[in-house]
């Protein structure tokens, strides 16, 4: 989680690009502020925390074990980032260093919906999975929906050139905006620190 501080991630890509139109998202400004705030504070925000996020974390290991049993052996990794450290993703596993795995553990009714319409699973996580493919350059990413007691669903997702083009354009724009915002925030932080120092000196002077 510390490695993700101030870093654009695949799971947040919908805050940069709209999944259907691939146009700039209206949430970009707030996302930049959040990234810079994380860097300044030195701690991640937990806005996404909730019962379904907790369910996903609890079942992820079980789902990964099932994938290993029915498909291929998976290696767990922490975080994959671009060389500049500005963009990254957290795969739920990698296979032989040439294929990734993304695991989702939704509610039963949502999972059944994916079983009935597999394309809806790909659409729901289009940007997250495509970001992982874009970052790694790998030819395929397995997207898995898992719900205990029901058949699992695994879809092989291939690179999408249209999404890649949108990522190249908008991630570059957001990276530059974040860099500029960090510079402005650092200047502001420095000014506030200077004011605090002067206030302490003045209080010391009065005490003397």
């Amino acid at each position: 989680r510390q490695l993700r501080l101030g870093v654009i991630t695949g799971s947040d890509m919908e805050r940069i690009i709209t999944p259907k139109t691939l146009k700039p998202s209206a949430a970009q400004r707030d996302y930049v502020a959040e990234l810079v705030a994380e860097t300044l504070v030195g701690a991640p925000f937990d806005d996404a925390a909730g019962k379904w996020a907790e369910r996903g974390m609890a079942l992820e290991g079980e789902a990964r074990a099932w994938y290993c049993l029915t498909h291929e052996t998976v290696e767990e990794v922490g975080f994959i980032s671009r060389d500049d450290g500005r963009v990254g993703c957290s795969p739920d596993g990698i296979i032989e260093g040439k294929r990734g795995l993304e695991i989702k553990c939704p509610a039963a009714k949502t999972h059944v919906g994916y079983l009935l319409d597999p394309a809806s699973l790909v659409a729901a996580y289009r940007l997250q999975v495509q970001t992982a493919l874009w970052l790694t350059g790998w030819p395929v990413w397995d997207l898995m929906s898992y719900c205990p007691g029901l058949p699992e669903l695994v879809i092989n997702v291939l690179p999408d050139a249209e999404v890649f083009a949108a990522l190249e354009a908008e991630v570059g724009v957001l990276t530059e905006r974040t860099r500029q915002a960090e510079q402005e925030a650092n200047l502001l932080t420095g000014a506030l620190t200077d004011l605090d120092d002067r206030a302490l000196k003045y209080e010391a002077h009065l005490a003397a």
Side-chain angles (χ1 to χ4, degrees):
R1 295 181 72 199
Q2 289 299 121
L3 289 173
R4 294 167 63 97
L5 289 180
V7 178
I8 299 169
T9 61
S11 56
D12 281 332
M13 200 55 68
E14 290 187 10
R15 300 172 69 180
I16 302 175
I17 304 167
T18 55
K20 290 184 178 180
T21 66
L22 301 180
K23 300 295 183 182
S25 170
Q28 282 193 14
R29 182 175 179 179
D30 288 343
Y31 189 39
V32 168
E34 182 177 310
L35 292 173
V36 175
E38 282 188 343
T39 301
L40 292 175
V41 173
F45 297 119
D46 294 317
D47 293 342
K51 65 176 183 179
W52 294 115
E54 293 173 1
R55 169 189 166 86
M57 289 186 284
L59 290 175
E60 183 181 302
E62 180 181 324
R64 188 184 295 107
W66 186 256
Y67 180 93
C68 291
L69 180 65
T70 58
H71 291 76
E72 300 180 66
T73 301
V74 175
E75 176 187 354
E76 292 185 55
V77 296
F79 193 67
I80 294 176
S81 64
R82 200 167 64 177
D83 290 345
D84 63 3
R86 288 282 183 174
V87 190
C89 65
S90 302
D92 292 325
I94 59 175
I95 300 99
E96 298 181 352
K98 60 182 180 182
R99 183 183 197 146
L101 173 65
E102 182 64 35
I103 298 171
K104 301 301 176 184
C105 302
K109 63 179 182 180
T110 304
H111 180 74
V112 170
Y114 292 151
L115 290 173
L116 295 174
D117 181 15
S120 65
L121 173 62
V122 178
Y125 299 101
R126 181 187 189 191
L127 291 181
Q128 183 177 4
V129 174
Q130 288 298 324
T131 299
L133 286 164
W134 177 61
L135 286 170
T136 60
W138 291 343
V140 63
W141 208 273
D142 282 359
L143 176 58
M144 177 183 188
S145 182
Y146 177 83
C147 185
L150 294 172
E152 81 279 9
L153 175 63
V154 178
I155 299 176
N156 305 134
V157 182
L158 304 178
D160 185 325
E162 187 180 11
V163 178
F164 280 19
L167 290 171
E168 289 285 352
E170 290 305 316
V171 170
V173 169
L174 197 86
T175 297
E176 183 56 31
R177 286 180 181 171
T178 304
R179 185 181 290 110
Q180 292 176 359
E182 287 174 349
Q183 293 174 350
E184 294 173 7
N186 286 331
L187 289 174
L188 177 60
T189 303
L192 292 174
T193 301
D194 184 55
L195 285 174
D196 288 341
D197 290 342
R198 285 193 291 173
L200 289 173
K201 290 179 181 178
Y202 181 65
E203 289 175 2
H205 171 71
L206 293 177

